[in-house]
Amino acid sequence: MNMTYQRLNSEKLLEILSLSDNATAIYTGADIVIQSANEAMLKFLGKDKSIIGMRFAEAVPELVGQPFIGQLQEVWSTGKTYSAYDTVAELMINGKLEKSYFDFKYRAIKNDNGEVYCILHTATDVTERFLNRISLKEIQIREQSLIEELAASNEELTTTNEELLAMNDKLSDSAEEQVHARKDLEKLTDTLQQAMNSAQLGIWSAELVTGKLTISELGKQIHGIADDKEISLEDAKKMIDPDFLDKIISTVRKAINSDHNFELEYIIFPADGSKSKWLKCTGKTYFNPQNKPAAISGIIRDITEQKQDELRKNDFIGMVSHELKTPLTSLKGYVQLLLSKSKKQEDSFAVNALSKVEIQVSKMTAMINGFLNLSRLESGKIHLQKQDFDIDVLIEEIIDDARITTINHIITLHPCEKLIVNADRDKIGQVISNLLSNAVKYSPKGRSIEVNCHLNNEMAEISIKDEGMGIKPQDVDKLFERYYRIENKHTEHISGFGIGLYLCSEIVVRHKGKIWVESQSGVGSTFYFNLPLSTA
Ligand code: ADP
């Protein structure tokens, strides 16, 4: 059967086209006049049918400045179809500028002569697909960077792990070292303990705030305390001979305040009622983190035997000195007798020789007196016989005596005000005489020695200044110790026993005075001592 079809006119065709779900529009002319736009296209453009017949630029003004109008004009003039995908367009939808993404085509429709007579615009909204793809991409990118970050941190972790392993190795090394160190320390402590035991040294430690006393086993034995018994600082104090307490307390206090070590010798009456003992105790202050004195700790030693030896030695020295004094006194008497006889006979040779003998005898007497005093001091037999006297007069007398034996030095006494002191005149005389003879002994011939005396802080202060070899600072503190002598090439030919200054110091301190020295090596020294004035 033959079928004939009626051809649809262009308006009909456009009407049918407008029903399509695909967005479609037809434009003509270089101005791009909208000939037709179906519902779907109008929706994309956010417009209504009123735009049909209008120029594209007027109908959709928000697209001016975007590439589309230019592209349409290009298609019109060149006849070349233009397609694009995922292209963003900003359109005014319900009064709001919105971004949408499109796949679209501007197809140039030509007549038989190849001339463009309209442009067919088809478009698909791909916003959703596009955004999905974008977010997928973003996710992928993020995942990628996450993977990269993970890889980096993994690498870091590996390095850290390696470092940790190395550290662990080191730690186990140092733990091993610590074990070794602890063993070494234990060994050392053992050796120290053994050494302390064989040296018969006890250790003690006292907490200053609580008064808690800790004593080693040997320390307890020394004090006659049972091993399992504890004693307090107060209990220990009660065992000390009261004669020594004041000195102990002041020495320890001084040591705490000045952060110095201390050394003390004293007698105790042990807790078990055994015989009294001489102890030597050394100590040191320990400070807490706030730098406050927290404890004192040190070593104690029973020095009874040593003390007894010393006492025996002192007794012996005392005895010998005493025995020597009698012949020496008679020797001195005879020398003085002969000297005066020789002077009368004007026998200059004998006068000269006997004067020298007299000087030597005086020196020997001074030495013997020194030993005698030392031995008396040590055995506690030194007694002060105090009386009121004018110190100035005594100084003058001593200087006069010294001048007899001092030929090569000039001794000057500066006028002194009348100062009455209450003291043992003989012993203070010995102090002045000792200081004067040292000034002579330790300074070159021809140098002057100046003696001064004045009132200072309610005390009579006496000073003896020389221009001698002086004393180095490191020796100054030790000068007043028993048997201390400075050994150097200047002193090697100067005789002495190192007891003179010790005696001076003991005598002055027993008078509640003070003795000290100011000196500059190579320039000279000034020895000072002071005494309380008489209160009468
Ligand atoms: P010594 O018998 O040795 O003189 P001292 O106790 O009198 O004993 O003196 C102790 C030490 O002090 C001396 O050995 C000496 O080195 C030093 N010394 C004492 N007086 C002086 C002084 N005036 N100048 C320099 N050094 C002195």
Side-chain angles (χ1 to χ4, degrees), residues 299-433:
I299 284 166
I300 16 171
R301 191 154 62 93
D302 182 347
I303 53 160
T304 312
E305 262 183 49
Q306 183 189 324
K307 271 283 168 185
Q308 277 165 350
D309 276 353
E310 260 175 43
L311 286 181
R312 275 194 289 270
K313 193 174 71 192
N314 273 331
D315 284 351
F316 177 75
I317 293 174
M319 211 172 64
V320 172
S321 319
H322 193 261
E323 290 305 312
L324 282 175
K325 256 191 103 166
T326 324
L328 211 58
T329 316
S330 96
L331 194 64
K332 195 171 181 176
Y334 282 115
V335 168
Q336 281 172 345
L337 201 69
L338 282 172
L339 194 60
S340 69
K341 210 170 161 199
S342 309
K343 276 181 186 163
K344 268 186 212 146
Q345 288 169 352
E346 291 178 0
D347 181 345
S348 62
F349 174 77
V351 169
N352 190 23
L354 286 166
S355 299
K356 285 184 178 153
V357 173
E358 195 192 15
I359 291 172
Q360 295 308 319
V361 171
S362 295
K363 277 190 182 170
M364 221 164 142
T365 311
M367 269 187 227
I368 300 267
N369 277 337
F371 279 119
L372 202 58
N373 283 328
L374 178 76
S375 100
R376 284 181 183 153
L377 192 84
E378 295 291 297
S379 53
K381 285 181 203 146
I382 203 160
H383 296 294
L384 300 183
Q385 282 165 349
K386 289 190 179 178
Q387 54 174 300
D388 280 357
F389 64 91
D390 187 347
I391 188 86
D392 188 32
V393 177
L394 176 67
I395 295 172
E396 252 186 84
E397 275 175 29
I398 303 290
I399 290 179
D400 284 346
D401 274 357
R403 279 194 184 120
I404 300 170
T405 50
T406 312
I407 318 150
N408 300 312
H409 294 78
I410 310 127
I411 305 176
T412 319
L413 169 65
H414 291 276
C416 174
E417 58 193 295
K418 190 180 170 77
L419 294 172
I420 308 293
V421 294
N422 182 260
D424 186 321
R425 200 172 191 276
D426 273 358
K427 301 224 163 37
I428 298 300
Q430 277 166 25
V431 172
I432 302 166
S433 159

Side-chain angles (χ1 to χ4, degrees), residues 434-435 438-443 466 468-471 479 481 484-487 491 494-502 519 524-525 527:
N434 236 317
L435 295 178
N438 274 352
V440 172
K441 238 163 74 171
Y442 297 104
S443 55
D466 65 51
M469 60 181 69
I471 300 151
L479 279 191
E481 285 173 15
Y484 190 82
R485 299 205 75 218
I486 299 167
E487 309 281 355
T491 57
I494 304 174
S495 64
F497 299 100
I499 57 170
L501 288 181
Y502 170 67
S519 184
S525 317
F527 280 82

Side-chain angles (χ1 to χ4, degrees), residues 78-323:
T78 61
K80 277 188 189 157
T81 295
Y82 179 85
S83 319
Y85 304 93
D86 297 335
T87 306
V88 67
E90 269 189 289
L91 290 158
M92 193 66 81
I93 312 290
N94 297 328
K96 246 172 77 190
L97 213 53
E98 274 182 18
K99 257 186 197 169
S100 302
Y101 293 83
F102 298 97
D103 286 352
F104 68 89
K105 194 180 260 183
Y106 298 146
R107 178 184 278 238
I109 311 286
K110 297 173 189 166
N111 59 20
D112 295 341
N113 298 330
E115 292 157 352
V116 179
Y117 71 89
C118 75
I119 298 169
L120 177 66
H121 174 193
T122 49
T124 318
D125 187 339
V126 293
T127 307
E128 214 170 308
R129 185 192 77 193
F130 179 79
L131 290 180
N132 281 344
R133 210 175 49 234
I134 290 290
S135 55
L136 198 74
K137 211 169 195 165
E138 256 177 27
I139 289 170
Q140 277 170 350
I141 289 171
R142 243 184 269 149
E143 266 178 6
Q144 186 57 35
S145 66
L146 217 65
I147 287 167
E148 277 163 18
E149 264 174 43
L150 270 173
S153 60
N154 206 20
E155 225 168 89
E156 261 172 45
L157 272 174
T158 317
T159 340
T160 319
N161 208 19
E162 277 164 14
E163 276 170 20
L164 273 173
L165 280 174
M167 203 125 91
N168 210 17
D169 275 356
K170 261 194 211 159
L171 272 175
S172 61
D173 278 358
S174 79
E176 228 168 87
E177 272 168 29
Q178 272 184 23
V179 171
H180 282 310
R182 206 172 42 238
K183 277 190 183 150
D184 283 351
L185 196 68
E186 276 166 13
K187 222 156 75 187
L188 215 68
T189 315
D190 268 3
T191 319
L192 188 67
Q193 191 62 51
Q194 274 173 22
M196 304 269 290
N197 285 346
S198 61
Q200 293 288 293
L201 298 175
I203 308 170
W204 65 275
S205 168
E207 281 173 28
L208 293 176
V209 179
T210 58
K212 188 176 176 238
L213 185 67
T214 314
I215 319 183
S216 69
E217 240 171 71
L218 208 110
K220 283 185 180 171
Q221 277 172 31
I222 292 175
H223 284 84
I225 309 162
D227 281 357
D228 55 349
K229 237 188 120 191
E230 300 299 325
I231 59 159
S232 69
L233 206 54
E234 270 312 300
D235 297 332
K237 229 161 101 182
K238 280 184 203 140
M239 290 183 211
I240 297 170
D241 183 337
D243 282 356
F244 295 88
L245 263 183
D246 282 353
K247 191 171 180 201
I248 294 175
I249 292 170
S250 72
T251 310
V252 173
R253 251 191 216 143
K254 219 155 94 192
I256 291 175
N257 293 333
S258 61
D259 186 19
H260 278 150
N261 295 356
F262 63 85
E263 193 176 296
L264 286 160
E265 288 182 6
Y266 53 91
I267 294 175
I268 59 153
F269 302 103
D272 58 3
S274 56
K275 259 179 35 198
S276 64
K277 284 177 184 169
W278 270 96
L279 298 192
K280 185 176 194 137
C281 171
T282 56
K284 184 178 178 354
T285 314
Y286 292 87
F287 294 83
N288 63 15
Q290 288 75 44
N291 222 15
K292 295 255 155 58
I296 38 171
S297 181
I299 284 166
I300 16 171
R301 191 154 62 93
D302 182 347
I303 53 160
T304 312
E305 262 183 49
Q306 183 189 324
K307 271 283 168 185
Q308 277 165 350
D309 276 353
E310 260 175 43
L311 286 181
R312 275 194 289 270
K313 193 174 71 192
N314 273 331
D315 284 351
F316 177 75
I317 293 174
M319 211 172 64
V320 172
S321 319
H322 193 261
E323 290 305 312

Side-chain angles (χ1 to χ4, degrees), residues 410-414 448-452 463-467:
I410 310 127
I411 305 176
T412 319
L413 169 65
H414 291 276
S448 74
I449 295 161
E450 287 175 41
V451 184
N452 262 292
S463 64
I464 289 126
K465 180 173 185 260
D466 65 51
E467 299 171 341

